[in-house]
Amino acid sequence: MTNRLKNNGKEYWRSLDHLADSPEYIKHVEAEFPDLLPEIQNPVSRRKFLGIMAASMALAGLAGCRRPVEKVIPYVVQPEEIVPGIPKYYATTMPFGSSSFGIVVESHEGRPTKIEGNKLHPSTLGSSNVWMQAEILNLYDPDRSKKVLNNMAGSSWDEFVSYWRKKREESVLNKGEGLAILTEPFASPTMARLQKEFIRKFPKAKIVAYEPIGNENIYRGIQKAFNTNKTYRPDYLYDEAKVILSFDSDFLLTESESVLAAKRFSKGRDVTGGQDDINRLYMIESSFTSTGAMADHRLRLSRQLIEHYVTGLYFELKDRGIEIKLNGFLMKIPVDSWDDDWLGAVAEDLIGNRGHSLVIGGQTLSQNTHELIAAINDELGNTNKTATYYPADDVKISDAGDYQSLIDDSISGKIDTLIILGGNPVYHTPEFSDVISRVPNTVHLSSHINETSQNVTWHIHRAHFLEYWGDASAINGTKSIIQPLIEPLFGGKSDIEVFTTIIDGTDRRGYEIVRETWRDILKSNFEKKWRRVLHDGVLTDSQNKPEKLKNAEVSSIIGFDTEHSVNSLELTFNISPAVYDGRYANNGWLQELPHPISKLTWGNAVYLSPKSASELDVTNGDIIKIDANNESIELPIWILPGQPDYSIAVEVGYGRSHAGRVGNGVGVNIYGMRKFGQLDYINGVKVSKTGKVYPLASTQDHGSMEGRPLVREANLDEYKHNPDFAKDAESHPPLRNIYPEHDYSAGYQWGMTIDLSKCIGCNVCTIACQSENNIPVVGKEQVGNGREMHWIRLDRYFTGDTEDPKALFQPVACQHCENAPCEQVCPVQATSHDKEGLNVMTYNRCVGTRYCSNNCPYKVRRFNFFNYTSKTPEIVKMAMNPDVTVRFRGVMEKCTFCTQRINRGKISARKEGRELSDGEIVSACQQACPTEAITFGNINDPESAVALKKKDNLNYELLAELNVRPRNSYLARVRNPNPKLVGYKTNRGQ
Amino acid sequence: MAQIFPEWTNKLPTYAVAGIAAMAIMVTGFFWYYGSPKYTDVGYRPKQPVAYSHKLHAGDLGIDCRYCHTNVEISPKANIPPTQTCMNCHKLILPESEKLLPVRESWANKTPIEWIKIHDLPDYVYFDHSAHLNAGVGCLSCHGNIAEMAVVMQVKPLSMGWCLDCHRNPNNHLRPKEELTNMNWIAPAHQKDFAEKMIKEKNINPPLDCSGCHR
């Protein structure tokens, strides 16, 4: 294989198999429907298939004679403001640890169906991420816990309240001795008020917040650097920064406030309209992330070395006259073991942009490193410019120390009553099951009967945030409201309600409790202002002023440099871009979402570099045994170009045993190995082959378009020199059409552009589309067969060195060709053109020949091989968009440019007797995209945003030489590497 | 040697061909007509849970359609009125009536009345009432003279071909705004001029593309 790799001149490749043109890859690409043949040729399954067909024909024959009777069920009393058929939109907030996302939820006759960002909320500004989109499915999760359990036997909330009233009297008398509360981190005025009350009432009780991966180290580092006891939340202004250096921070995707970060980062990356003053991103990371793919320079390093490189940056800056105050000790082992050419050039670039540069670190770095990073920013003049710090009012942050002492106290018998408000500690901290068995009284509030609920005294079912009242404080302190869109489906309780009961033994509604808090916030003229807050979702102008912190110091600087080798590897733990820390394990949309870089679905794997893999003699899917910390875990491997050598990465959040029907047993739980209190890596890890193989479902080779110039990119210099580089990449004879031309000169003509410079590969378009268009989940086996149904496929291309490539993303949905090849081969005209340029698909006409998919050069059509929705539980059907047909078995489907949104917009404009204005109709993907990479609109209007983008030099069409004239086009990517480093390759770790 | 087949058998193939052709025509014709919405759907008149008479309310009493179907001009769906609408009047009018028992039960128990849907389009068709009314298509065009029906039935096939007939040539179905719900409106002599004026004024452009109705 290595030989073939060398002789192959491919510039962009999707997988190592693709680059090497391995026989498996060729077979996969050449078959239009890969893996279909074996099934048809298999006599057993064929006979079974015919049997099923015969049976279903017989049933169909009988059923066909009857007219189905459908009922219309009106309200008894029609609620005010509800008009059946017209959705309502409500602003609310999604709490997410100590972050919160302002959202606007679409509701059809009282049934929430779609979540979008709230333009007024500072953390979303109208965009969203995959977790926000997927919450709608969580609301209707049929596996949610449905009742209160006492010792796992059915009970009721009232029984719990009377139990607690008795129990509480003891606690009041002994001032809360032996009482402890474990919550998830929060940022909420009401929760903060309740916490104060709790402490007042039970001064000896403990209240601890913890989540397995969070911002604790970042906050503590900042505290140390600025020598303060107050907690600050950093708000980085990426749009103000010209040079950004990230140490293992996937700030565009998995870190906190990623939606805002992506929006700001892409603002500084806009090359359209002739702008060429764009930011530069340096990324040093321990596993390939979305942010790494966006970087202009990416350095792959083991996580331990990354910490060392921060120290290295300190010295490089010092050499150049930027001295950071050090009031402690300095420990540097070994001296100068970083790549000083690379780091030196970065340091110069940072110094050259003082006040407009930014250094950030990831959640997994140590507190000391974060302290140093904050001090570096301060010394570079970035504090209060690109790095601002807001006081963390109303915030309870995760605290590993407190958590550890809670565990110790529980095990030593000091805790008598433990109340767990949310979270799943037994899953992410295995020793917590001892805590549950030692503490006599345990109460667990949780949405599912999960790992932690198994042996608790009381399990209380938790309501979803779309079902309860609450509030939140955003990163800059803006207060927002959580208002329910629907009564709790299973009658669950919110954190606030349970917490109130714990404090005073009353049983009050969340509405009253939240209003009590807000009476203090809004003060005078309460009702009027309250209504305004419910309308906007946020309290406008309630943000804090960023505090003017200055004079950062560093207490100590420590450098590590352990040699890693194939016999002594480093293992790093990462957050999953799909199931997060495991909380989304039971969400089918997220499980099936391809990983941004590896494109793996349904499970995790050990990522290792091609070099490490060849030294270990393993290949994709081989199961290896990892030994570390006296634990051993078996996991399949996935070779990921760009992974540092001898450093292996695993994502947490998989291998749940009590997640529900979707998440149980998907992937492997690695939390057991991540010993508590350790940093997020382990040294000296040994791996061994087991000889077993596990089939992993990756979509990286699906829908390949065979080595044509699909993705186009240039460095900023090249772009300045030749602005038309994207168009120059194609050459073909004059294009003539053998079919009669359509006339597209009148009316609305829909078109789209996707800016590759801005696409961060976050997948939110895929999920937003899935939610808007009722796209089914097909399961791991079918994904393995290449039958995933996502209408938007996010192609990830590698380019450059096979060990250390660059990556770039290209979302591909139906291109809506004006001369669509699919239409010409459909025997029943199920796919045809409308006069607004949409390539439309009429499901009820489709007979499933799949000719269209065969003839589609972009491979964007999706076929319903099975009746995927037949087993959808009733409650999940409530998540369906009533404006879009649910497709049946045997029907082809694909992107429609959200024709339902176009129609709704056109009809309402017509009713008002006006024309549509630009930007009035947004497609679901465009609305969700945090970087505004997608532009959609009427290309017949020369002033529309999409028409202007299509005039840009960078605009190119995919496979233009086929003369299919796609309505979707791409803006080529422009990278902005440092001229002093271009072409530079580091020797480290290779 | 005597011939095995008598002479008349020579005509057998002709008869067979003619017979098969006739059969084919008959079978096709049978399904053409009896399988079409004209036969299967038109005349559908299920028994409703409440013996509500449109003839009485809309015809004899002259209540406007929009008194009950309030959202028809603003929403894709012409709503079935909530029980509350019935009770607005029937708290005072015929409060003891036997026929109104299900309505009173619904009101007392807060359980909705389950009406049977008559004009039932397939789930993949997205018909918008408000768009049609705003263009000037009256109720009568699709629902027939409801004001004459004691029990509502379907009078038009509601098939795609039938929809397209009007989408291709809406002239005869356009009326002034104030006549939309009038069941006794008779097209004036100058209907063609009126329709052409309306089409121009409102830029009426009924979609003929699949995406107009199928999403």
Side-chain angles (χ1 to χ4, degrees), chain A residues 446-506:
Chain A
S446 110
S447 61
H448 289 69
I449 301 173
N450 60 22
E451 290 83 347
T452 307
S453 319
Q454 295 310 310
N455 291 309
V456 292
T457 331
W458 287 92
H459 159 80
I460 302 168
H461 54 320
R462 189 192 207 179
H464 187 267
F465 70 85
L466 293 172
E467 300 171 334
Y468 65 65
W469 284 95
D471 50 19
S473 298
I475 181 132
N476 65 7
T478 300
K479 291 177 178 52
S480 65
I481 199 85
I482 303 173
Q483 58 175 320
L485 274 95
I486 190 166
E487 273 279 308
L489 289 165
F490 309 115
K493 292 284 162 189
S494 68
D495 300 27
I496 287 172
E497 288 166 334
V498 176
F499 204 3
T500 306
T501 304
I502 298 294
I503 294 166
D504 56 17
T506 57

Side-chain angles (χ1 to χ4, degrees), chain A residues 255-369:
Chain A
E255 298 274 329
S256 294
E257 304 301 326
S258 60
V259 178
L260 186 60
K263 213 169 199 92
R264 286 177 174 162
F265 175 75
S266 69
K267 218 167 138 191
R269 204 120 190 130
D270 196 346
V271 273
T272 54
Q275 292 184 70
D276 51 16
D277 184 23
I278 60 172
N279 62 28
R280 177 175 298 143
L281 171 63
Y282 297 94
M283 180 77 178
I284 304 183
E285 61 179 354
S286 60
S287 188
F288 220 138
T289 64
S290 281
T291 312
M294 294 308 288
D296 300 299
H297 291 282
R298 177 179 179 275
L299 195 61
R300 58 190 179 118
L301 289 176
S302 67
R303 188 163 286 161
Q304 194 185 36
L305 263 178
I306 290 175
E307 305 239 351
H308 187 48
Y309 264 57
V310 183
T311 312
L313 181 65
Y314 166 84
F315 286 103
E316 292 296 338
L317 288 171
K318 197 177 173 186
D319 289 350
R320 289 165 180 79
I322 303 283
E323 181 128 27
I324 288 138
K325 278 175 236 79
L326 179 73
N327 65 1
F329 63 94
L330 183 137
M331 199 166 86
K332 193 166 62 136
I333 318 161
V335 185
D336 292 343
S337 61
W338 56 83
D339 181 337
D340 36 4
D341 287 344
W342 200 92
L343 215 46
V346 176
E348 259 168 42
D349 212 2
L350 287 170
I351 293 167
N353 289 281
R354 290 183 70 154
H356 293 285
S357 57
L358 181 60
V359 184
I360 47 166
Q363 289 172 330
T364 50
L365 299 183
S366 67
Q367 294 182 9
N368 282 342
T369 305

